[in-house]
Amino acid sequence: MNPETKLIVGRIGAALLGLLLLTLSMLVYQEINAGLFEETAHRLATSFNEYSGSLAQR
């Protein structure tokens, strides 16, 4: 292998590794956001239930 070929192979490898890291970071970000969304929805539902319960008692 001449130096130019090694450089090309190295760049392709670095690009593939970068794409892999980007994909993994996007998956982690998606999981974190899904958890936050689920927690927020649960909080909203709980507070709405408490509010409607207090209205029903009046």
Side-chain angles (χ1 to χ4, degrees), residues 3-48:
E4 290 178 10
T5 308
K6 288 181 180 179
L7 184 62
I8 292 171
V9 169
R11 285 181 179 170
I12 292 173
L16 289 175
L17 187 62
L19 283 173
L20 178 67
L21 289 174
L22 178 67
T23 305
L24 288 175
S25 65
M26 288 175 73
L27 286 173
V28 169
Y29 178 74
Q30 183 179 2
E31 286 298 316
I32 290 172
N33 267 353
L36 290 177
F37 176 74
E38 187 177 332
E39 185 179 335
T40 304
H42 177 70
R43 262 195 240 140
L44 285 173
T46 304
S47 62
F48 177 75

